[in-house]
Amino acid sequence: KRDELETQIKALFSELDEAPKVKSVERLGKISSSARPVKVVLRSRNAQISILSKKPLLKGNDKFGKVFLSPDRTVEERRERKQLVVELKEKVKRSPGTHYIIRGNRVLVAPRE
């Protein structure tokens, strides 16, 4: 199972034209029939930034379209992010025609693509 997981992660990185050095890979949560998150620790912060910047490339991908990539956050960062998501949802509810995004520690209006 572990080898299969590492193979899938390498395929994902290959799809993004990346070949980072992986420090560790582990499944999180209790064993269940639903999908569980995977924590991948990379040796280089630059590799992490590069991969996260390319995550929109996975959106239309048949194999990895449902994969969600996010940086590891501290408890405080998760708390702040959660507040920003609540703020974003409130703004969307108030003006549904406007597109909002979270950048840094702020909710911003973004042009629709």
Side-chain angles (χ1 to χ4, degrees), residues 8 17 20 22 24 29 42 44 46 48-49 86 91-92 100 102:
Q8 289 176 333
D17 292 325
V22 177
S24 68
L42 304 176
S44 162
N46 290 338
Q48 176 193 358
I49 291 168
V86 168
K91 287 186 176 195
V92 167
Y100 293 96
I102 296 173

Side-chain angles (χ1 to χ4, degrees), residues 14-103:
S14 175
E15 192 70 32
L16 297 173
D17 292 325
E18 293 287 336
K21 291 191 183 343
V22 177
K23 196 172 187 178
S24 68
V25 174
E26 65 178 302
R27 280 233 181 249
L28 304 176
K30 296 179 183 176
I31 295 175
S32 68
S33 60
S34 62
R36 294 187 303 150
V38 176
K39 181 178 179 180
V40 179
V41 180
L42 304 176
R43 293 191 186 276
S44 162
R45 174 91 171 126
N46 290 338
Q48 176 193 358
I49 291 168
S50 179
I51 289 168
L52 289 172
S53 71
K54 293 180 180 180
K55 69 183 180 180
L57 298 174
L58 297 174
K59 216 171 204 171
N61 187 294
D62 291 337
K63 188 172 181 182
F64 300 111
K66 293 186 178 183
V67 171
F68 178 76
L69 301 177
S70 68
D72 195 20
R73 294 185 173 103
T74 64
V75 173
E76 181 61 31
E77 288 171 331
R78 288 194 298 264
R79 194 175 299 123
E80 289 171 6
R81 176 83 178 176
K82 190 173 184 178
Q83 289 174 340
L84 288 170
V85 169
V86 168
E87 182 183 335
L88 181 137
K89 287 181 179 181
E90 288 172 359
K91 287 186 176 195
V92 167
K93 196 179 277 187
R94 276 186 262 141
S95 54
T98 309
H99 181 64
Y100 293 96
I101 57 171
I102 296 173
R103 284 290 181 269

